[in-house]
Structures are given as C-alpha cells and as structure tokens.
Amino acid sequence: MAWSTTLLWGSLALASALWLQQVAEHVREPYLDEVFHVRQAQAYCRGHWHIWDPKITTPPGLYLLPALAHLALHTSCRLTSLRLLNVVLNSIFLPWTLASILQRLHAPLGSTAATSDIAHTSLNIAFFPLLFFFSALFYTDTLSTVSVLVCYRASLRLGGGAAGSGLRRSASLFGLGLCAVALRQTNVVWVTVFVGGLDVVRCLTAEGGEEEEEEEGEEEGEGPGEWRWRGRWRRVVARSWARGALCYDPPAAEAGFTDYLLTSVSVALAALAKLPRVVAVLAPYLALMAVFAGFVVWNGGVVLGDRSNHMATLHLPQMLYLWPYLIFFSLPLVAPAMLNMLLSIIGSPRTRGRPPLAQLTTTTITTTLLTLLAIHYNTIIHPFIRADNRHYVFYVFRWFVLRHPLARYGAAPVYLLCARAALSARVLTGNDRPHPRPLRTSFILIWLLTTALALCTAPLVEPRYFILPWLLWRLHLPLPLPLLSSSSSGQQGQVQAAGTRRWMRMRMWMWTWMRMVERAPLWSETAWFALINALTGAVFLFRPFEWPLEKGRVQRFMW
C-alpha cells in the first residue's frame, strides 16, 4: 500500500473517531430522526419485537442489526454504541467495498498508479460530506448505502455473462437485495433496475457484440453523433437483432441525443433476441420485485408508519436539482471539464464528440422548454422545506427558489449547464487521449432511469436522497490517465544502473512531481470534502439555537 493511501486511510479513521467523539460530547441526546431510530433499536434490544414506532417510515433493518448483535455478542445498545455502528461501516467497510468495486471496474488499467488511484478514490467517496456527517448519527443512510454497494459488488463478482445465471448467483443476489430493501424501500429500484440493468448490459456485451464502427468513406474524426440518421438506424437495428448483442454503446463524452436513442434501441433489440438468456440473468431481480410487490399489497402502500408527509407524488424537478448537487460536491473534478465545454461551444472548429450546430441548437431548445415546463407545472414546495430551518435545503430554497416568482425559471440554464458537465464524463482523464475505460452511454441511461424512479416520487427535497445517485456516478468516472509512460520507468532504471546520482535524483523529483500533477484532481477532491466536513461539522456542534416557541430545547443546523 502506497504511503499516500496509508495516510488517507489513517486520516479517515482518525477523522471519523474524532467526529464521533465530538458528537457524543456535544449531542448527548438523540437528535431529530435519531429519537425514533434509537428508541426502536433499543426496544428490539430488549426483545420487544411487537413494538413499532408509527413515526418511522422505513423497514426495520437498521434496528435488527444492533439487536441481533446485542443478543449474540451482548453488545451495548446505548446511543454512542449505536452511533459507532455507522462510524465503523463508513470508515472501514465502505472503503473496502468501494475499492473492490473500483478494482473490477477499472482494473484493466493495470498499473500501480491505477491501484493507488483506486484506493484514493474509495477513501474520497467514504469522505463524501453527506456520508461522513451522518456516520456519527444513528441514521439509515450509511447502512443502506453499503447494502446497495454490496449487491453491486456481488453482481460484478458473480457476473452476468455466460456463467452468470446459476442458482448460487441468483440466491446470493436475491438474499443481498432483500437485505438492502429491508433497510429502505427505494433500494428495490437501485438493486433491480440499476444493478440488474447493468447485469443485462454486461450479458449482452459478453455475447460477442462489438460496438458499431464508422463506415468507410465517412469523414474521419467525426464521433457517433455525426452519422446520418437512416444509415445508422438500419445498421444498429439489423446488427443488434441478428447478433443478439449490444452493437452500439459510444462513450458518453461523445454522445448526443441521437446516440442515447440508438443505444436504447440496441439494448432493447438485443435483449429481445436473447430473451431467455436475459430472463435468466434477471431472475433474482424479478423475484425481488415480486416479493416487494407482495409487501406493498400487504402494507397497503410503500411507506410504513407516517404516510401523511411521505405520500408518493410525481415530482419531476427532483431530476433538475440533481445536477447542481453533483457539480457542487464534485467541483474540483468537473471545473476543468466545464471550462473546456464552454470553450468548445464558443470555438469555431468542431471537435470529436461535439454534435453539429443544428442538432445542438435543437437539443438545447427542446431541453430548455421541457425544463421550464417541469418547473412551472410540477415544482412542489413541501411544508417541511418552508417550516424547518434546521436544514440547509431550507435556505437554498429560500434564497434561490422562493426569493422571487421568476427565480425558479432563472435556474433552468444552471440545471442544463450542470447536467451537460456531469454527463460529459471526461472530468478525470486529464488529457485528450482516449480513455481505455470511458463512461458508456448505456450506463448513463440506466443510471438516469434508476435515479428518476427513486427521486421523482418523493415530494420532499432531501439531500440524503441524492447520496446514491452521486456515489454511483462518481464510482464510474474514469480514473486519471497516467502522465508517465512505462518507458519512463525503464529509462529511470537505466539511469540508476548507470550510477549518475545527480541525474537519478532529478529524475526521481520529476517523477514525483508528475504523479502529484496526475493526482491533483483526487487531492483537490479530498481537500474540498475536508473543508465542507469541517464547516458543516463546526456549525452543527458549535452553533446551536432555540426556537422561540420551544425555549430550552436545542436545535442544530444539518444537511
């Protein structure tokens, strides 16, 4: 393990322990939703399995884990012990799970630098402000996030290709998916649609399909978005159906609206052509959906407990709020990409992956109109957002959405610009070389569909709901390409063998400097998260306040 990785891992563990210690010292009583969660967990620890707090809206998975640990290992169920569960998960188990997933997604890069970047990325994600903040509170988010990632890791490990439909695989994925759903209802979407959808894509890719290539005679250097409509559709339809394999899946950074349509058609036709194979791959996810449907019928709805404030409602602007969320938390990564995107838009030469001006104009006008319609007809301001000034989202809406009747419409260009930056997917490549593991259009389609299903039925805008969309998007961002080639290392070894100490020392300094530049985005992300965590943690701990109507009761600012 590199010294930088060891330093980061130790820093995460130390920061987590310090954060728990400070929260335990300053917040001695359960705070906000902890009141319900702690009370329910302690009831289970006492063996009162029949008790259920009607204020709780999620399944009992969070409370079963400490209760079972108490019964088997006689662990404590006091407040600090319950909070410690999330700290351990976030500082140890979550980084390990993330690193395992990243290894399978990016391991073909193959270099020691890639391994180091994988470790750094996994620790950065565990340091994500929402995850880190709630790791010291007894909330559902940490354990729920880990459960979905464990399902995803299992699907990658067990595979969805030729050997991916066995009984062991199906039983494992079904059991892990059931555990995830036992923690939060929306996890059924992330397991069945996201994990299952990517399993299908890998299955169709493994069936021998190759990405559609450019025809001879077409203009060299033009990306997939430049091909003529009729020829492209005919080739994609014919090859996807004939091969039963995904034949069109361009890198997301080069894809336009037409490419997303063509990729959807290719996936659908290939899946129909290999329907028995696809059904076998989806078997555990279909079984999980059936069990969840049975729960909904038995429960009379998706939500447990307090349904008055959590009724499922169509809320399309949730997908608009997603993009500033992604960009804000990943600002050190996407800032160069946003600048390059603006320069490419105003520049005259057309570059690879940039759609034609007519297509760009049509897409921009269409998406702007759809955005304005969603804002006008479907913006929902939940009563909690108007009344609860303990959450940062209260101030975001107060300052940027509710300040003026037209303010919400003025945010439309911001949403679209942030969406384009997030979907460009070139934020970590560091140069113009083709990346060996680019973000594919099929992933974006499945990720968007899953995110929409998970968010667009929630009337409340809650930053914690966006944790999984951000995390899974971040996991699939390309790692930095090495600035140093393998030949550089060989030359350095030859110089060392020659015994020229001065030149060897200079080469070593050059190598160290290049690695620092290469990993600058990751270190910038670490520093950005550290700053946000320090500020939000200090405000939470050291800036309490009281409501005039509830004198003597301490309130705190939080996400």
Side-chain angles (χ1 to χ4, degrees):
M1 183 181 294
W3 67 268
S4 57
T5 304
T6 305
L7 175 63
L8 282 169
W9 212 301
S11 299
L12 176 63
L14 181 62
S16 300
L18 179 62
W19 175 231
L20 176 63
Q21 184 268 330
Q22 290 293 310
V23 171
E25 179 179 340
H26 292 87
V27 189
R28 298 178 180 274
E29 299 295 330
Y31 182 67
L32 214 58
D33 289 0
E34 275 193 319
V35 174
F36 317 122
H37 296 319
V38 171
R39 188 164 56 205
Q40 187 63 48
Q42 291 175 344
Y44 280 3
C45 287
R46 292 191 294 268
H48 299 162
W49 305 102
H50 62 284
I51 293 179
W52 181 256
D53 194 317
K55 292 292 185 181
I56 297 173
T57 60
T58 53
L62 177 66
Y63 324 115
L64 289 173
L65 185 59
L68 294 175
H70 174 71
L71 293 176
L73 305 173
H74 303 289
T75 56
S76 172
C77 286
R78 293 180 299 175
L79 176 60
T80 302
S81 300
L82 294 174
R83 289 171 170 172
L84 179 62
L85 169 66
N86 280 338
V87 170
V88 172
L89 285 171
N90 196 72
S91 60
I92 299 176
F93 195 72
L94 178 60
W96 176 82
T97 306
L98 290 167
S100 179
I101 293 174
L102 287 165
Q103 193 71 28
R104 293 185 178 275
L105 292 175
H106 302 291
L109 292 176
S111 66
T112 304
T115 303
S116 180
D117 290 337
I118 284 172
H120 195 162
T121 300
S122 65
L123 293 168
N124 276 359
I125 295 175
F127 206 38
F128 179 59
L130 273 295
L131 286 171
F132 184 80
F133 183 91
F134 287 102
S135 68
L137 299 174
F138 191 59
Y139 270 58
T140 314
D141 304 277
T142 303
L143 186 56
S144 174
T145 301
V146 168
S147 68
V148 173
L149 291 175
V150 168
C151 289
Y152 188 31
R153 176 183 177 274
S155 76
L156 292 171
R157 182 173 58 87
L158 298 174
S165 59
L167 181 60
R168 175 175 170 270
R169 169 189 174 274
S170 297
S172 299
L173 291 175
F174 175 78
L176 292 173
L178 203 59
C179 292
V181 176
L183 290 161
R184 181 169 285 174
Q185 293 93 322
T186 52
N187 285 350
V188 71
V189 177
W190 290 105
V191 173
T192 58
V193 180
F194 180 79
V195 179
L198 291 183
D199 259 359
V200 169
V201 168
R202 284 192 296 273
C203 168
L204 298 177
T205 304
E207 291 293 331
E210 297 179 357
E211 185 181 337
E212 183 75 2
E213 300 291 343
E214 296 182 39
E215 295 285 327
E216 290 186 9
E218 291 183 331
E219 185 175 345
E220 185 178 355
E222 293 183 341
E226 302 288 344
W227 295 357
R228 290 175 298 180
W229 271 83
R230 187 174 301 174
R232 274 187 295 169
W233 281 94
R234 184 167 53 247
R235 286 192 298 272
V236 169
V237 169
R239 296 184 184 183
S240 298
W241 179 258
R243 300 178 183 178
L246 181 58
C247 295
Y248 194 87
D249 191 12
E254 302 173 7
F257 181 73
T258 305
D259 301 297
Y260 283 99
L261 289 178
L262 285 169
T263 302
S264 302
V265 169
S266 181
V267 171
L269 289 177
L272 288 174
K274 296 287 186 180
L275 190 58
R277 178 82 188 101
V278 170
V279 170
V281 169
L282 289 177
Y285 309 110
L286 296 174
L288 183 62
M289 291 180 67
V291 171
F292 185 77
F295 159 77
V296 172
V297 172
W298 170 80
N299 186 54
V302 175
V303 178
L304 290 166
D306 182 19
R307 300 181 186 179
S308 59
N309 294 308
H310 297 86
M311 296 294 293
T313 307
L314 183 64
H315 193 187
L316 297 177
Q318 291 272 31
M319 291 301 293
L320 302 178
Y321 308 143
L322 169 69
W323 307 114
Y325 184 100
L326 296 180
I327 298 304
F328 172 76
F329 286 111
S330 299
L331 193 60
L333 306 181
V334 300
M338 293 184 73
L339 179 60
N340 290 335
M341 181 183 64
L342 290 173
L343 292 176
S344 68
I345 290 175
I346 63 177
S348 55
R350 285 193 298 161
T351 57
R352 177 174 176 83
R354 183 184 168 192
L357 181 60
Q359 180 182 339
L360 181 63
T361 303
T362 303
T363 303
T364 302
I365 293 174
T366 303
T367 53
T368 301
L369 288 175
L370 292 175
T371 299
L372 292 173
L373 288 173
I375 292 173
H376 183 75
Y377 289 105
N378 200 221
T379 296
I380 298 174
I381 309 298
H382 196 280
F384 286 177
I385 293 178
R386 292 184 180 273
D388 195 342
N389 65 342
R390 295 170 294 185
H391 299 281
Y392 296 131
V393 70
F394 168 88
Y395 301 96
V396 172
F397 270 76
R398 182 178 180 180
W399 295 339
F400 299 107
V401 178
L402 301 176
R403 178 174 290 275
H404 189 276
L406 297 179
R408 64 186 65 181
Y409 303 103
V414 177
Y415 298 144
L416 296 177
L417 181 63
C418 291
R420 180 58 185 168
L423 296 178
S424 66
R426 281 180 171 169
V427 296
L428 286 181
T429 55
N431 47 52
D432 295 329
R433 286 180 288 163
H435 202 283
R437 284 284 175 173
L439 200 60
R440 291 286 175 180
T441 305
S442 58
F443 166 81
I444 294 294
L445 286 170
I446 294 170
W447 174 78
L448 281 175
L449 175 61
T450 312
T451 302
L453 292 173
L455 294 180
C456 289
T457 56
L460 178 62
V461 180
E462 169 63 70
R464 291 181 295 135
Y465 297 167
F466 295 87
I467 290 177
L468 272 173
W470 176 88
L471 189 152
L472 293 169
W473 170 78
R474 178 66 185 86
L475 266 176
H476 285 78
L477 288 183
L479 292 176
L481 286 176
L483 299 176
L484 294 172
S485 64
S486 58
S487 61
S488 299
S489 300
Q491 293 173 4
Q492 182 176 344
Q494 293 173 8
V495 171
Q496 183 175 0
T500 310
R501 292 186 177 182
R502 183 177 179 182
W503 180 248
M504 182 179 68
R505 191 180 302 113
M506 186 172 65
R507 294 279 302 191
M508 182 62 69
W509 278 108
M510 288 175 59
W511 186 89
T512 304
W513 172 252
M514 294 291 279
R515 280 294 292 146
M516 290 175 63
V517 172
E518 180 183 305
R519 299 186 66 183
L522 293 177
W523 284 108
S524 300
E525 184 182 42
T526 305
W528 179 239
F529 286 171
L531 176 62
I532 297 174
N533 286 330
L535 291 176
T536 55
V539 169
F540 178 73
L541 295 174
F542 307 121
R543 290 292 184 269
F545 65 100
E546 294 181 358
W547 284 338
L549 298 180
E550 295 186 12
K551 293 292 185 180
R553 186 175 179 182
V554 176
Q555 309 295 341
R556 299 180 183 275
F557 296 106
M558 64 189 303
W559 291 107

